[in-house]
Amino acid sequence: MLSVENVGKSYGGHAASGNPSDTEVLKGVNLTIERGEMLALMGASGSGKSTLLHLIGGLDQQFSGEIRFEGLSLGNASDEALCDYRRRQLGFVFQQFNLLPTLSVQDNLLFPRRVLGLSEQSDHTEHLIERLGLAELLHRWPDQLSGGQQQRVAIARALSHQPPLILADEPTGNLDDELSHQVMALLTELCRSANSALVMVTHSREMASYLDKTQLLHNRQLHNHRLEASQPEVQV
């Protein structure tokens, strides 16, 4: 579904430019993601985890190598094709929630479906609302919600249009330990039920242990990484 082949990225110029003033953050990165697969990206601060996520998300085309999704080359795609890719194929979950403050919970949740012209009512969205406990919150505004509630709305929004790939950048970074485990249990459960792939950046070994496999970004390259952390029992 998604392939990352020999990807490099430098800030200050192109990874292949050879400019000594460039700061190289990724070099020769290779990665393959299949439908339904869940991958955690770990690494030290500044190691390039979020940079790689942005490249996969089509938010930056300045890189060397190749990133392809279902035959679409992200580095060579037009602005229109990239916009369509982000709208249809991706769901984003961020540390800062990024809910639209002028829209209700219901309108935030349905926003991706409306953009794509999909029906607002579906068994899928009803399942998300029920499983994430949002029924009593639909007519509230984002500033009336706790952090955990906002992140549950953000997860529902990311999954509402049933994208094949979810990208999450430290999705539990603003939550306490108990809420972090609840959010991760729900996020992975819902991705599995929808057969959506998940690529998540995290600094937490415990959060990474919820996913199928972990890779470590070190010295600008990806390395397989085994985790010993175990998941606690979580009521969600």
Side-chain angles (χ1 to χ4, degrees), residues 130-145:
E130 178 183 358
R131 194 67 192 91
L132 290 163
L134 302 178
E136 302 299 321
L137 306 177
L138 292 178
H139 300 294
R140 293 191 189 180
W141 302 98
D143 63 4
Q144 296 174 317
L145 306 179

Side-chain angles (χ1 to χ4, degrees), residues 13-220:
H14 195 277
S17 68
N19 188 331
S21 66
D22 293 349
T23 300
E24 189 176 41
V25 293
L26 298 174
K27 180 179 181 180
V29 171
N30 294 285
L31 179 64
T32 300
I33 300 292
E34 302 297 339
R35 186 75 188 246
E37 188 175 13
M38 299 191 191
L39 170 69
L41 296 176
M42 298 190 71
S45 178
S47 62
K49 304 183 301 296
S50 293
T51 296
L52 179 57
L53 205 69
H54 290 168
L55 297 182
I56 293 172
L59 301 173
D60 184 351
Q61 288 184 290
Q62 298 301 310
F63 60 89
S64 62
E66 183 78 75
I67 302 177
R68 303 187 73 86
F69 180 91
E70 302 270 331
L72 175 68
S73 172
L74 301 190
N76 298 316
S78 65
D79 290 344
E80 182 180 2
L82 279 179
C83 183
D84 190 66
Y85 164 68
R86 290 190 294 266
R87 286 178 176 177
R88 296 183 183 277
Q89 310 297 346
L90 303 181
F92 292 94
V93 183
F94 301 99
Q95 180 178 349
Q96 300 297 333
F97 316 133
N98 288 354
L99 300 181
L100 297 171
T102 58
L103 297 183
S104 68
V105 166
Q106 184 175 41
D107 289 337
N108 266 283
L109 192 161
L110 293 174
F111 186 79
R113 297 185 66 86
R114 290 171 175 167
V115 168
L116 294 173
L118 301 175
S119 171
E120 294 186 6
Q121 294 186 337
S122 71
D123 291 341
H124 176 67
T125 54
E126 290 301 318
H127 174 68
L128 291 175
I129 290 169
E130 178 183 358
R131 194 67 192 91
L132 290 163
L134 302 178
E136 302 299 321
L137 306 177
L138 292 178
H139 300 294
R140 293 191 189 180
W141 302 98
D143 63 4
Q144 296 174 317
L145 306 179
S146 68
Q149 289 171 334
Q150 289 189 62
Q151 195 60 299
R152 282 188 277 139
V153 175
I155 290 170
R157 180 181 61 183
L159 287 161
S160 67
H161 57 302
Q162 298 177 271
L165 177 60
I166 302 295
L167 302 179
D169 195 350
E170 298 283 6
T172 62
N174 280 333
L175 306 177
D176 63 31
D177 287 346
E178 182 178 358
L179 279 175
S180 293
H181 284 290
Q182 290 177 0
V183 164
M184 281 307 305
L186 286 166
L187 177 59
T188 52
E189 173 197 321
L190 291 168
C191 283
R192 285 193 175 93
S193 66
N195 197 31
S196 294
L198 171 63
V199 179
M200 181 182 75
V201 164
T202 182
H203 68 279
S204 168
R205 294 170 62 87
E206 286 189 308
M207 299 303 104
S209 71
Y210 280 86
L211 278 60
D212 300 326
K213 62 181 182 179
T214 301
Q215 294 206 355
L216 180 70
L217 260 172
H218 180 65
N219 288 336
R220 299 164 294 171

